[in-house]
Amino acid sequence: LRASAGEPPRTRMFAILADGVPVGGIGVWPSQENDEAALETGWNVLPEWQGRGIAKLAVRLLIPIAASLADPGQQLIANPDVANGPSNALCQSTGFAPIGEQRFPFRGGVLHTRIWALALDGVSAQ
C-alpha cells in the first residue's frame, strides 16, 4: 500500500501496488452505522489483477490502520453490493460479520448493499 497525501482527518486512502505497479485502491473514512460513529472501508482492484488475493491482503493491512484511527467501540464497516460475490466473500474471510442490507440512490440508480461490520476493539493498531 502507498498512502495518498492530504486526506481529511481520520481518512486514509492508499494505492494498492503489486510489484510496484498500481493495481487498485483502498481507504478508510469516518461514517455512521445505525446512528453511531463508525469507520468505513472500500476497495477496488483492476480486473486483470483480481483473483490473486491482492484485495484480501490490502484489507488485512488496512484493519490495524483503521484500529489506530478508531475511537473505543467503533466498528469498521464495508458495504459491497449484494450481487458482488467476491467482495462479500472477502468481508467474511477477513473477519467482518453481516449486520444487514440497505438500498440507497446512487448515480441515477439504486444500490442494494450488504452491510458488514468488524469490531476494532482489541485489534492491534499500527
Side-chain angles (χ1 to χ4, degrees):
L1 299 178
R2 182 175 62 203
S4 299
E7 301 104 356
R10 297 183 64 204
T11 296
R12 300 292 183 275
M13 301 302 288
F14 299 93
I16 300 173
L17 306 176
D19 298 326
V21 176
V23 300
I26 189 167
V28 60
W29 55 89
S31 188
Q32 291 226 317
E33 184 56 44
N34 293 326
D35 295 325
E36 292 187 26
L39 294 174
E40 185 173 348
T41 185
W43 55 85
N44 65 35
V45 173
L46 294 172
E48 60 270 25
W49 291 89
Q50 293 174 3
R52 302 180 192 197
I54 293 170
K56 185 181 234 178
L57 178 58
V59 170
R60 286 184 174 159
L61 290 170
L62 184 81
I63 290 170
I65 295 168
S68 74
L69 300 171
D71 292 330
Q74 269 193 320
Q75 299 183 94
L76 180 62
I77 60 171
N79 294 286
D81 192 286
V82 295
N84 187 333
S87 284
N88 284 286
L90 174 60
C91 288
Q92 184 174 18
S93 71
T94 53
F96 288 77
I99 60 169
E101 295 183 4
Q102 64 185 350
R103 293 176 184 270
F104 57 92
F106 184 74
R107 295 184 182 169
V110 176
L111 285 180
H112 181 191
T113 66
R114 183 160 293 119
I115 307 164
W116 294 86
L118 175 71
L120 292 170
D121 286 344
V123 172
S124 294
Q126 286 188 348

